């Protein structure tokens, strides 16, 4: 097999196509360290992705893809909408050039937090799923969707891989005296994930609850709001109809359910973006006697002032995977560490290409993981 590399880039974006046994894989990567194709030992082919002077996205595929299976790998940088547009345009270009199957490898699926109706908004994640299908994608490989039910938004297969084996391995190998640790859920909604980590590591579990936390399930969706008043119209409903009024929630002062005194506290979550909640949780855990605090998450978006806030906080280390590019944030904050998960994505690509079962990648994975 030819191991030569051919890469084409313009405007800071790189794009390439690689080959395994006459089946082509199309790759976008904005993270130099994130390179499943190196693990696969494959040849890069030819394509170019760039933006016109008017900011329109243009894709040129430089060789034939007719009748072939294509894998597009797209990491999501800080400019989310541009990355999505690149993926859509590339998928549609491959579709119109008669590619047989187009599989998107999207380690962090964007807009995944917008998967529920909020007030008078919309379920944007469902919209994105429909756009990807319309563009020509026939399969998606992703990792740790924010809600597993997102898989139901798609009209084609979705493989939702897990990063927890890599993060568990990091805890066992890189955290000294991890046997003296306790797994912490920073809100009740994260308790299932934390419980899974605690059971696999044979550690204790603590759950934080109180006014400093804001669970997504507690957000008002606005559907109980009355319509605007108008002449001759009342808001009391049908005459004589009295509906019971739902009492408003009032969170108690913040509490930690579980003993963290003299322990290493390990907070686990799927996404770490705005870090104010994590910083507040770390301060409470320090007050309760934890002497070291680690944050473990799959997707390290680390937006806005996150690196500075982490550096100035009581958090000792933030461990995330490389599903999202965060090299700049690491330079700003040495507390941020990275775990490479390209191995499992490369194996998923290889198995799908060879028609092998994906069950090996989900060994001992349960519904709560």
């Amino acid at each position: 097999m030819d191991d030569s590399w051919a890469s084409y880039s313009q405007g800071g974006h790189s794009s390439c196509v690689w080959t395994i046994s006459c089946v082509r894989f199309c790759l976008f990567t904005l993270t130099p360290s994130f390179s499943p194709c190196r693990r696969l030992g494959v040849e890069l082919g030819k394509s170019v992705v760039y933006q016109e002077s008017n900011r329109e996205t243009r894709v040129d595929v430089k060789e034939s893809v007719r009748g072939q299976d294509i894998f597009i790998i797209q990491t999501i940088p800080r400019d989310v909408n541009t990355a999505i547009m690149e993926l859509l345009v590339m998928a549609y270009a491959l579709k119109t050039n008669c590619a047989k199957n187009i599989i998107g490898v999207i380690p962090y699926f964007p807009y995944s937090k917008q998967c529920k109706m909020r007030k008078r908004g919309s379920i944007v994640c469902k919209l994105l799923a429909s756009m990807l299908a319309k563009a020509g994608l026939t399969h998606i490989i992703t990792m740790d969707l924010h809600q597993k039910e997102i898989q139901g938004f798609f009209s084609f297969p979705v493989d939702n891989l897990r990063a927890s084996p890599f993060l568990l391995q990091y805890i066992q190998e890189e955290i000294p005296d991890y046997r003296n640790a306790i797994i912490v859920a920073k809100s009740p909604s994260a308790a299932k994930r934390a419980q899974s980590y605690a059971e696999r590591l044979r550690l204790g579990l603590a759950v934080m609850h109180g006014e400093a936390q804001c669970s997504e399930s507690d957000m008002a969706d606005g559907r109980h709001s009355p319509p605007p008043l108008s002449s001759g119209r009342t808001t009391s409903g049908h005459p004589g109809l009295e509906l019971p009024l739902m009492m408003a929630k009032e969170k108690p002062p913040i509490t930690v359910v579980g003993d963290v005194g003299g322990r290493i506290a390990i907070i686990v979550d799927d996404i770490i973006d705005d870090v104010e909640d994590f910083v507040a949780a770390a301060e409470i855990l320090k007050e309760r006697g934890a002497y070291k605090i680690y944050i473990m998450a799959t997707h390290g978006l680390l937006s806005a002032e996150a690196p500075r806030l982490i550096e100035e906080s009581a958090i000792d280390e933030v461990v995330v995977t490389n599903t999202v590019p965060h090299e700049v944030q690491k330079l700003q904050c040495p507390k941020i560490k990275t775990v490479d998960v390209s191995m499992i994505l490369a194996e998923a690509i290889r198995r799908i290409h060879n028609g092998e079962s994906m069950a090996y990648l989900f060994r001992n994975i349960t519904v709560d993981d």
Side-chain angles (χ1 to χ4, degrees), residues 40-77:
L40 291 166
V42 294
E43 177 187 357
L44 297 177
K46 305 172 184 178
S47 67
V48 178
V49 181
Y50 60 97
Q51 289 188 341
E52 301 277 11
S53 57
N54 61 358
R55 308 296 294 173
E56 289 184 358
T57 299
R58 181 177 290 274
V59 170
D60 292 324
V61 180
K62 297 296 186 179
E63 53 191 281
S64 175
V65 295
R66 182 178 295 272
Q68 300 177 21
D69 294 338
I70 307 295
F71 285 77
I72 307 175
I73 300 180
Q74 176 67 302
T75 56
I76 303 298

Side-chain angles (χ1 to χ4, degrees), residues 293-306:
I293 298 170
Y294 290 80
I295 310 292
M296 313 288 295
T298 302
H299 310 296
L301 305 186
L302 303 169
S303 302
E305 297 296 315

Side-chain angles (χ1 to χ4, degrees), residues 96-109:
T96 54
N97 281 278
C98 301
K100 182 180 180 182
N101 292 305
I102 305 171
I103 299 94
V105 183
I106 311 172
Y108 167 66
F109 194 80

Side-chain angles (χ1 to χ4, degrees), residues 30 63 73 75 107 149 217 243 258 289 323 365:
L30 302 175
E63 53 191 281
I73 300 180
T75 56
E149 292 79 8
S217 60
L243 298 176
T323 57
I365 298 295

Side-chain angles (χ1 to χ4, degrees), residues 55-193:
R55 308 296 294 173
E56 289 184 358
T57 299
R58 181 177 290 274
V59 170
D60 292 324
V61 180
K62 297 296 186 179
E63 53 191 281
S64 175
V65 295
R66 182 178 295 272
Q68 300 177 21
D69 294 338
I70 307 295
F71 285 77
I72 307 175
I73 300 180
Q74 176 67 302
T75 56
I76 303 298
R78 298 179 71 86
D79 191 354
V80 177
N81 295 327
T82 298
I84 292 172
M85 201 63 200
E86 288 176 356
L87 178 61
L88 292 171
V89 175
M90 176 53 111
Y92 191 66
L94 295 168
K95 177 182 177 182
T96 54
N97 281 278
C98 301
K100 182 180 180 182
N101 292 305
I102 305 171
I103 299 94
V105 183
I106 311 172
Y108 167 66
F109 194 80
Y111 287 97
S112 59
K113 285 190 173 183
Q114 298 189 50
C115 61
K116 297 179 181 179
M117 179 66 73
R118 303 294 185 202
K119 297 186 178 179
R120 293 178 178 87
S122 60
I123 305 176
V124 183
C125 192
K126 168 63 176 174
L127 171 64
L128 180 55
S130 301
M131 292 168 64
L132 292 172
K134 191 69 174 178
L137 287 180
T138 58
H139 194 148
I140 277 183
I141 303 171
T142 187
M143 180 167 284
D144 281 339
L145 288 170
H146 186 56
Q147 298 287 341
K148 297 178 183 63
E149 292 79 8
I150 292 174
Q151 291 176 269
F153 292 165
F154 294 88
S155 57
F156 50 76
V158 176
D159 286 310
N160 182 27
L161 304 176
R162 304 296 197 275
S164 52
F166 297 90
L167 296 175
L168 289 168
Q169 183 181 32
Y170 184 93
I171 293 173
Q172 292 173 314
E173 295 180 356
E174 301 296 333
I175 298 181
D177 196 23
Y178 83 92
R179 293 290 183 186
N180 189 38
I182 186 169
I183 305 298
V184 180
K186 71 178 181 69
S187 65
S189 61
K192 284 187 176 181
R193 180 184 298 272

Side-chain angles (χ1 to χ4, degrees), residues 282-316:
E283 292 175 356
I284 295 296
L285 292 171
K286 279 287 187 182
E287 293 175 3
R288 299 295 192 274
Y291 69 91
K292 273 193 175 182
I293 298 170
Y294 290 80
I295 310 292
M296 313 288 295
T298 302
H299 310 296
L301 305 186
L302 303 169
S303 302
E305 297 296 315
R308 180 183 61 80
L309 293 174
I310 293 171
E311 185 65 25
E312 298 172 355
S313 72
I315 299 171
D316 291 282

